[in-house]
């Protein structure tokens, strides 16, 4: 008997299929536009790659520049679809696009194409785009937008509301209103809610937050993004060298910057010169990876040469080769863990010398404790394994496992120190600590582990028994 209390799983609407059916219908342009506007821009952007070029052009022709701009900003291939527009429509869409996104796209064009589009843009958009484009990619000004509302500080609540309403038609970042003086110098910020609930006899200055966080347009992104992360504001004012308000950084921009920074650091931790894209040409990927691989090849040859110095030991005790990778891998893993912790801590530029020493001490102690636990485990289990399955006598079996355990302890402690100290030294030398990448630390730790492992084996399994 069926259980009628069991509910069928909820079916989410298939907006993609609905949109395709609408676009491929024979609806007249006006009716088609009204249907499309019922859907979110992100859903429309998602179906663009499924449609044919003719079907996309059909959409371009019936939608206004503002709507098209919103749709294309959600698209993964903004440039591909943007090029399908005629030049006049391109200029209109760019005028409605967030300033930083428009400036970033224009930088990818040839000089003649860029000039032709900028000349067709409206004056305000042209001025804003040229300002953003004047900053280097690593300056926060290159990520700002002119989409914000500003009012004068010496007006009434009623006048402030009037200015808000008049500017809201062109700027949709309305949750925070910025206040400037007669010289357009930044004075403070007002929360939209505070302005809405303020009574007419309230003095505007009473609801202005004058300690609102801000950044300068020419500041390095890496230097100021950590400050911005500490605040949960919707946007942050960007000032020029004269403290004049020239743009804002939205919280979405901050999230994107942090994500890009993490992606770049992750790429460096993987031994890449910079982040790779899935559509990137093989030649470009090779150029990014090859320099690190050449360096690591050289370090690997050094490790192999060191292991070669212990050739006589390996010849006498071939069983040591079976457990070499175990010791080397554990050393590499511990070093990479310490590196990851250190890179994370070093995002704080105000880290004091005492705190750095405390970090090294902590990681060394952590490596020591982990080394003791894993060393003892190796001593017991590897000793039993050699005795039971390799048919060696008990004394020899545990002598070998003791060397493995001791080598693991020593290499894990030294790897913890290396994984922490190297990025700290790089930071002191004004080198990006993420360059002390996982492969580099792992290779260095392989060298440490190999010397520890075979050195102990030579001492305890060959020298001491022969005395």
């Amino acid at each position: 008997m069926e259980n009628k209390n069991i509910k069928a799983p909820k079916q989410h609407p298939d907006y993609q299929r609905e949109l395709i059916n609408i676009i491929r219908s024979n609806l007249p342009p006006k009716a088609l536009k009204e249907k499309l506007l019922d859907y979110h821009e992100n859903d429309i952007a998602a179906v663009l790659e499924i449609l044919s070029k003719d079907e996309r052009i059909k959409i371009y022709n019936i939608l206004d520049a503002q709507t098209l701009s919103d749709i294309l900003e959600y698209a993964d291939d903004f440039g591909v679809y943007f090029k399908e527009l005629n030049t006049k429509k391109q200029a209109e869409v760019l005028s409605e696009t967030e300033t930083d996104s428009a400036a970033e796209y224009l930088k990818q064009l040839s000089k003649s194409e860029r000039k032709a589009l900028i000349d067709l843009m409206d004056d305000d958009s042209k001025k804003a785009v040229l300002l953003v484009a004047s900053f280097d990619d690593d300056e926060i000004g290159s990520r700002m937008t002119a989409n914000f509302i500003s009012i004068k500080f010496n007006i009434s609540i009623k006048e402030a509301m009037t200015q808000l309403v008049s500017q809201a038609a062109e700027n949709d970042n309305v949750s925070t209103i910025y206040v400037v003086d007669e010289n357009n110098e930044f004075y403070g910020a007002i929360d939209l809610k505070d302005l809405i609930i303020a009574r007419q006899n309230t003095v505007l200055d009473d609801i202005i937050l004058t300690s609102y966080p801000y950044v300068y347009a020419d500041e390095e992104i890496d230097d100021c993004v950590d400050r911005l992360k500490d605040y949960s504001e919707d946007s942050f004012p960007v000032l020029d060298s004269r403290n004049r308000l020239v743009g804002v950084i939205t919280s979405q921009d901050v999230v994107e910057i942090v994500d890009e920074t993490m992606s770049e650091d992750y790429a460096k931790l993987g031994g890449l010169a910079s982040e790779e894209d899935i559509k990137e040409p093989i030649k470009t990927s090779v150029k990014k990876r090859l320099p690190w691989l050449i360096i690591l090849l050289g370090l690997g040859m050094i490790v192999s040469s060191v292991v070669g110095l212990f050739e006589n030991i390996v010849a006498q005790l071939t069983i040591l080769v079976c457990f070499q990778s175990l010791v080397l891998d554990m050393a590499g893993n511990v070093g990479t863990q310490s590196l990851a912790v250190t890179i994370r801590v070093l995002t704080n530029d105000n880290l004091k010398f005492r705190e750095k020493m405390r970090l090294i001490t902590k990681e060394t102690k952590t490596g020591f404790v982990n080394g003791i636990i894993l060393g003892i485990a190796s001593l017991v289990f590897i000793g039993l394994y050699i005795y039971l399955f390799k048919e060696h006598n008990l004394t020899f079996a545990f002598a070998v496992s003791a060397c493995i355990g001791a080598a693991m302890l020593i290499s894990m402690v030294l790897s913890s120190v290396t994984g922490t100290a190297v990025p700290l030294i790089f930071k002191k030398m004004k080198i990006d600590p993420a360059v002390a990448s996982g492969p580099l630390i792992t290779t260095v730790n392989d060298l440490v582990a190999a010397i520890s492992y075979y050195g102990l084996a030579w001492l305890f399994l060959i020298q001491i028994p022969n005395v």
Side-chain angles (χ1 to χ4, degrees), residues 93-129:
V93 169
L94 274 184
S95 296
E96 301 296 339
T97 302
E98 290 290 347
T99 315
D100 55 335
S101 299
E104 183 180 355
Y105 177 74
L106 286 168
K107 286 180 181 179
Q108 301 172 18
L109 303 178
S110 66
K111 188 175 181 180
S112 58
E113 290 176 318
R114 184 163 59 246
K115 185 179 184 304
L117 281 176
I118 291 176
D119 287 343
L120 289 173
M121 295 172 69
D122 63 72
D123 291 340
D124 289 339
S125 298
K126 183 190 303 182
K127 182 180 178 182
V129 166

Side-chain angles (χ1 to χ4, degrees), residues 6 51 125 143 166 172 196 204 210 275 279 282 308 322 379 391 413 426 436:
I6 298 176
L51 302 173
S125 298
R143 309 301 289 267
S166 65
D172 53 15
I196 291 174
L204 186 67
T210 54
E275 187 183 2
K279 297 178 181 178
I282 293 176
C322 300
L379 169 66
E391 299 180 353
V413 171
F426 274 40

Side-chain angles (χ1 to χ4, degrees), residues 261-413:
T261 303
M262 291 178 66
S263 296
E264 289 173 3
D265 286 347
Y266 181 79
K268 291 172 183 174
L269 284 170
L272 302 176
S274 58
E275 187 183 2
E276 289 189 17
D277 185 84
I278 193 171
K279 297 178 181 178
E280 191 172 77
I282 293 176
K283 183 179 179 181
T284 306
S285 296
V286 169
K287 284 183 178 179
K288 288 181 179 179
R289 301 184 189 190
L290 194 57
W292 267 113
L293 291 176
I294 292 172
I295 294 171
L296 295 174
L297 175 62
L299 289 172
M301 291 174 67
I302 294 173
V303 174
S304 299
S305 299
V306 170
V307 173
L309 296 176
F310 299 101
E311 185 177 354
N312 291 333
I313 300 172
V314 175
Q316 296 177 59
L317 300 168
T318 54
I319 195 170
L320 293 176
V321 178
C322 300
F323 304 101
Q324 172 185 304
S325 61
L326 176 65
V327 178
L328 268 61
D329 286 348
M330 290 307 301
N333 293 338
V334 169
T336 303
Q337 287 177 340
S338 295
L339 172 65
V341 172
T342 307
I343 294 291
R344 185 180 179 88
V345 171
L346 285 178
T347 56
N348 180 8
D349 291 327
N350 299 319
L351 204 64
K352 297 178 181 177
F353 178 77
R354 184 182 298 176
E355 293 171 320
K356 293 176 182 178
M357 292 301 101
R358 189 181 301 156
L359 174 63
I360 294 177
T361 303
K362 173 184 173 294
E363 287 301 310
T364 303
K365 289 180 178 178
T366 302
F368 179 77
V369 173
N370 287 333
I372 286 287
I373 295 171
L374 295 177
I376 292 173
S378 299
L379 169 66
V380 175
F381 292 110
I382 294 176
L384 290 174
Y385 171 78
I386 295 173
Y387 174 67
L388 296 174
F389 297 99
K390 295 298 182 179
E391 299 180 353
H392 287 285
N393 63 64
L394 194 63
T395 303
F396 178 80
F398 279 93
V400 172
S401 67
C403 282
I404 294 170
M408 191 173 293
L409 169 61
I410 294 171
S411 61
M412 287 177 69
V413 171

Side-chain angles (χ1 to χ4, degrees), residues 25 53 82 113 131 140 195 198 215 269 287 328 371 385 426:
S25 67
K53 182 178 179 179
F82 185 80
E113 290 176 318
L131 174 63
I140 198 70
L195 182 59
V215 294
L269 284 170
K287 284 183 178 179
L328 268 61
Y385 171 78
F426 274 40

